[in-house]
Amino acid sequence: MAALANKHLAKKMARWAIVSATALAVVSCSNMPQGRISPDERAGIEARLLSDISILASEEFAGRRPGTAGEAKTLAFIQQSLTQAGFVSGTNDPANPWRAPVLLINTAATDSRVSITSGKRTVVLPSDNAFAHTLASLGLVEGGEMTFVGRLAEDVPDEQVLGRVVVMLGEPGKSPPRREALFKKGAAAIITVVEDAASVEQVRAFRSQDSFILASDATDHLSVFVTHEAMTAGLGEKQWDALVASADEDGFAPIKLDATASVEARTKRREVTSHNVIGRLAGTNPQAGAVFLMAHWDHFGECGEEGAADRLCNGAVDNASGVAVMLELADRLAASGPHDRDIYILGTTAEEWGLLGAKAFVQTPAVPLDQIAAVLNYDTVAVAPQGSDFVFVGEGETPLDGIVLDTLADQDRTLGNQIMAQQFIRRQDSWAFLEADVPAIVISTNLGSQESLETFLSQRYHQASDEVNGLELGGAIDDVVLNELLLKRLASTTEYPSGGE
């Protein structure tokens, strides 16, 4: 890391020289529209973004997988960048300066066995038609009494579920909340009956992947997915067909089956302590609340196909580019401060596995959530060319609409496809904050060019090809320019008086 530190220090010195020179140039151009910058400053921003992305997406950082040496290098780089800009630790936890621990569970389902006993006959369901999984190392039910609930869940009496193997008919989109409700009632295992073997294989493939969950969300629920064909083999065609038909009858009630089920599922499981990295730039009014800049630092490590010449997923666009934009804005805000509100930088972990770092922050925030005026998220920004439309992810969800739209208008920028933008609202870290009623948005060009986005998604997204070569930084620079102006306004109690107070 010493060589990296020296390289980064030299880059920072050059960065400040460029910032100072271009700032003087901007001041001299009194007719330049608000928020616009000179070509020289654009070139300076581009050079700094490219430098940061190249470091974060280098082979040395090994794909920035949580819990690895790549994480340690990434956190050190971000912390060093923020320290040099004038930030201090923002964890507000003396025991954990800069790095807030996030306890994760790493899991991968390995094997399972499901059988049904009816009378003296026991049928082991074939593995291509039955799969069981749990987040515990071992999930086991032997000879569990079975209850068929059809499509019911909330209305099933607790005593008909407690300690039993519950059989339910699967329905896309409706099955997950039904399983959750039945597990809350004390089901020992839940068998979800799906249409075909392809559906079982889809679950198996997903659960067998090396994955992360928050330790706080880790349950020992034993979930089973089987086909109608498997249930027919286990209970007999006549009985199973009659059960399925009864589920659609008026007044249907759960049916205790004259059969038992045995389920065994094994999972490779280990605990991993990862970290969110948090920096703070103090404001002049401690009572005015805080503004957060957020980007997830993590990626997958090795995720290329087995046997491929290059299996390392460097994550240059996703999300070294977002971190680079966040750090550039941190530098610029520090140079233009002090601001009324505190400004926090939040680099989150494990976004790729379900916004886990952001959710962990919301569960144990470094700042009371009601004191956060705004959260701006930066994710996958090096996609669109210069001059692309902006999108506003989270429009209509927070009190920030007015100040965002005014800032766009002041820069003569327009919004693009907002229908597409809203499709991404649950797929990035700001959603974890929105669920907790914290104003959190994305204002970016990253979705502003459908052609560029489709090319990235098809050719580079979550692939080993997401490397530094071929980056498109034009839109990312536009993001820096607009977001800097927006953040200054959000950090001002004069221009945005109500936030966080």
Side-chain angles (χ1 to χ4, degrees):
M1 285 299 290
L4 176 61
N6 291 335
K7 177 179 179 181
H8 185 57
L9 180 59
K11 176 182 73 97
K12 284 290 184 178
M13 292 174 66
R15 173 192 291 248
W16 283 109
I18 293 171
V19 168
S20 299
T22 52
L24 290 173
V26 171
V27 169
S28 66
C29 298
S30 58
N31 294 326
M32 188 172 291
Q34 185 180 25
R36 296 300 176 88
I37 59 174
S38 68
D40 285 346
E41 189 169 5
R42 284 193 71 91
I45 295 172
E46 181 174 16
R48 295 188 293 273
L49 292 180
L50 181 58
S51 177
D52 283 354
I53 295 169
S54 297
I55 292 171
L56 290 163
S58 66
E59 301 291 303
E60 182 181 357
F61 281 59
R64 307 187 306 280
R65 185 179 178 85
T68 66
E71 168 174 348
K73 289 181 169 66
T74 302
L75 298 178
F77 177 80
I78 295 172
Q79 180 180 336
Q80 184 181 52
S81 298
L82 295 175
T83 300
Q84 290 172 347
F87 283 72
V88 297
S89 169
T91 62
N92 296 317
D93 177 4
N96 294 288
W98 286 100
R99 304 176 187 188
V102 178
L103 184 58
L104 304 173
I105 303 296
N106 181 239
T107 67
T110 55
D111 56 79
S112 67
R113 184 179 187 273
V114 183
S115 65
I116 294 176
T117 298
S118 181
K120 296 182 179 181
R121 176 172 168 269
T122 296
V123 176
V124 177
L125 306 187
S127 60
D128 57 345
N129 282 291
F131 171 72
H133 71 86
T134 178
L135 295 178
S137 298
L138 172 65
L140 181 64
V141 171
E142 294 184 301
E145 294 183 342
M146 301 176 70
T147 296
F148 177 72
V149 299
R151 299 179 181 85
L152 299 181
E154 293 285 357
D155 295 335
V156 180
D158 291 7
E159 63 271 16
Q160 295 188 15
V161 172
L162 183 63
R164 295 185 183 179
V165 177
V166 177
V167 181
M168 57 175 275
L169 298 177
E171 284 188 273
K174 297 179 180 180
S175 294
R178 289 175 181 165
R179 276 193 296 273
E180 183 177 355
L182 291 167
F183 274 126
K184 285 182 178 178
K185 292 175 180 290
I190 296 176
I191 296 175
T192 304
V193 185
V194 296
E195 286 302 315
D196 50 33
S199 300
V200 172
E201 182 56 35
Q202 185 178 24
V203 176
R204 186 197 317 275
F206 177 72
R207 293 296 178 179
S208 299
Q209 291 177 352
D210 191 49
S211 187
F212 290 103
I213 59 170
L214 285 176
S216 58
D217 292 340
T219 66
D220 58 358
H221 293 161
L222 185 54
S223 295
V224 187
F225 293 82
V226 306
T227 62
H228 285 273
E229 180 181 346
M231 291 303 297
T232 297
L235 295 176
E237 182 176 4
K238 182 177 180 181
Q239 182 179 4
W240 179 244
D241 286 349
L243 288 170
V244 173
S246 71
D248 292 325
E249 295 174 357
D250 291 339
F252 168 80
I255 300 170
K256 184 179 183 299
L257 304 183
D258 187 18
T260 61
S262 295
V263 181
E264 180 177 347
R266 296 182 182 274
T267 298
K268 182 179 178 182
R269 170 191 167 113
R270 65 188 178 95
E271 291 187 355
V272 175
T273 299
S274 187
H275 301 83
N276 291 332
V277 57
I278 312 174
R280 172 178 170 264
L281 185 68
T284 59
N285 183 353
Q287 306 304 316
V291 174
F292 273 70
L293 288 70
M294 175 173 61
H296 77 88
W297 57 257
D298 65 294
H299 202 58
F300 291 103
E302 285 194 352
C303 72
E305 293 184 5
E306 292 285 348
D310 180 12
R311 296 197 63 226
L312 184 62
C313 291
N314 303 76
V317 175
D318 181 15
N319 187 37
S321 68
V323 174
V325 164
M326 180 178 70
L327 294 178
E328 173 71 14
L329 286 165
D331 274 350
R332 300 172 79 85
L333 292 167
S336 63
H339 305 276
D340 296 340
R341 292 190 171 93
D342 290 346
I343 293 176
Y344 281 80
I345 301 297
L346 172 59
T348 58
T349 183
E351 185 271 354
E352 300 290 8
W353 288 270
L355 323 182
L356 302 185
K359 290 178 179 178
F361 180 93
V362 170
Q363 289 175 6
T364 312
V367 175
L369 297 181
D370 61 3
Q371 291 298 305
I372 299 177
V375 179
L376 274 69
N377 188 33
Y378 303 97
D379 194 349
T380 312
V381 296
V383 176
Q386 180 180 349
S388 297
D389 287 338
F390 277 82
V391 293
F392 182 4
V393 180
E395 184 180 18
E397 302 290 337
T398 77
L400 301 175
D401 285 16
I403 196 167
V404 171
L405 297 175
D406 287 347
T407 303
L408 283 163
D410 288 342
Q411 288 202 330
D412 298 324
R413 302 305 298 263
T414 57
L415 288 178
N417 187 344
Q418 282 300 100
I419 295 176
M420 180 174 67
Q422 294 308 95
Q423 293 174 358
F424 285 82
I425 192 169
R426 295 172 180 260
R427 295 178 58 181
Q428 42 75 45
D429 272 340
S430 70
W431 176 248
F433 287 81
L434 282 173
E435 284 192 302
D437 295 323
V438 178
I441 61 171
V442 176
I443 179 70
S444 175
T445 59
N446 59 355
L447 307 178
S449 169
Q450 186 167 348
E451 180 180 357
S452 298
L453 179 64
E454 289 176 351
T455 298
F456 170 74
L457 292 176
S458 63
Q459 298 181 10
R460 302 180 68 178
Y461 178 63
H462 291 180
Q463 299 179 51
S465 53
D466 184 8
E467 297 183 335
V468 173
N469 59 305
L471 285 176
E472 174 53 77
L473 292 175
I477 298 168
D478 290 347
D479 284 7
V480 169
V481 175
L482 185 130
N483 277 271
E484 181 184 11
L485 179 57
L486 176 59
L487 286 161
K488 287 178 179 178
R489 292 176 172 181
L490 289 169
S492 167
T493 55
T494 301
E495 298 201 53
Y496 190 60
S498 62
E501 294 183 311

